[in-house]
Amino acid sequence: MAGPAATILIQTLRDPQATARWLIAQDVPMSARWMAALLAAILSMIGLMLAVLISPETEPSIFTALADPWFGLPVQVVSILLLSVVVTVAGRVQGGQGRFADALLLVSWLELVMAIAQALQLVALVILPPLSALISMASLVLFLWLMVHFTAALHGIAALGRVLLALVAGFVAVVVLVAIVAGILGLVPQPTGT
C-alpha cells in the first residue's frame, strides 16, 4: 500500500488492520513518531480552539480550559501517550507482543484521522448544527472501531471482543489513576458543607 495520505485514509476506513500492519512495517524512525504525536495534539488543539470560538459558552467549562494552549496542548500530548500505553498493555495482557513505539505510531495516526472528523464536525457546526451532533456520535463510534482494530493488528489478536474488553479495562484504570492523582494534587474541588 503506497500513495498519498488520502489513499491511506481511505484504506484506514476500509481495512484498519491492514493499514495498521502497513504503518508498522514502514519502520518509521522514533523521532518521526514523536513528531506525529505532537502534530496530532496540535491539530486537535486547533480544532478545540475553533470549536470554542464558533460556539462560545457563557460560563467557563473544561472545553474552554482545554482550548488554552498552555494547558490544553500538554493535556493532548499526555492523553496520546496514555492511550498508547493502554493499547500496549491491553494487548500484552491478551498475550500480544506489540511494542509501545508501534502503539504510539498507530495512536498518532488514529488521532490524525480523528482531527479530520473534528474538522467535518466544525464545518457542520457552522452550516447545520444538528448534523454536528450526528458527526460527533459517528466520530466516537469510528474512534472505538479503529482503536479495537489497531490494537488487534498491533498484537496479532483475532478476538476483537477480548481486545475491546481489555481496552475498556485499561481506560477505566487510567481514569481511576488520573482521579486519584488529581485528588492528591488538589485539582478536584472538595465538597463544602452547608
Side-chain angles (χ1 to χ4, degrees):
M1 181 193 327
T7 304
I8 301 170
L9 175 63
I10 292 167
Q11 183 63 23
T12 299
L13 301 176
R14 285 184 180 164
D15 191 348
Q17 291 199 36
T19 304
R21 288 189 290 269
W22 179 81
L23 285 168
I24 292 168
Q26 300 313 297
D27 198 24
V28 177
M30 197 63 198
S31 59
R33 295 171 196 233
W34 288 115
M35 284 191 292
L38 184 58
L39 175 62
I42 290 170
L43 289 176
S44 182
M45 183 78 238
I46 291 170
L48 198 51
M49 291 170 71
L50 288 173
V52 169
L53 284 174
I54 291 170
S55 63
E57 298 183 19
T58 52
E59 293 184 20
S61 69
I62 186 66
F63 294 108
T64 53
L66 288 173
D68 175 7
W70 296 107
F71 176 70
L73 188 58
V75 169
Q76 293 288 346
V77 171
V78 168
S79 67
I80 289 172
L81 295 179
L82 283 175
L83 196 53
S84 301
V85 169
V86 168
V87 166
T88 304
V89 174
R92 290 282 180 94
V93 299
Q94 298 291 330
Q97 297 298 317
R99 301 180 310 141
F100 171 80
D102 293 330
L104 179 64
L105 176 66
L106 295 179
V107 168
S108 297
W109 174 248
L110 171 63
E111 291 294 334
L112 290 170
V113 171
M114 297 316 298
I116 295 169
Q118 187 180 29
L120 291 174
Q121 188 178 351
L122 287 173
V123 170
L125 191 60
V126 172
I127 298 173
L128 189 62
L131 181 59
S132 176
L134 290 174
I135 293 174
S136 177
M137 288 186 287
S139 296
L140 178 60
V141 171
L142 177 64
F143 175 83
L144 293 172
W145 185 67
L146 291 177
M147 181 59 56
V148 168
H149 281 282
F150 280 7
T151 304
L154 173 65
H155 293 285
I157 300 170
L160 297 181
R162 286 178 31 210
V163 172
L164 178 60
L165 289 175
L167 285 172
V168 168
F171 289 137
V172 169
V174 167
V175 167
V176 169
L177 180 63
V178 168
I180 291 171
V181 171
I184 291 171
L185 297 175
L187 300 176
V188 178
Q190 301 297 320
T192 56
T194 54

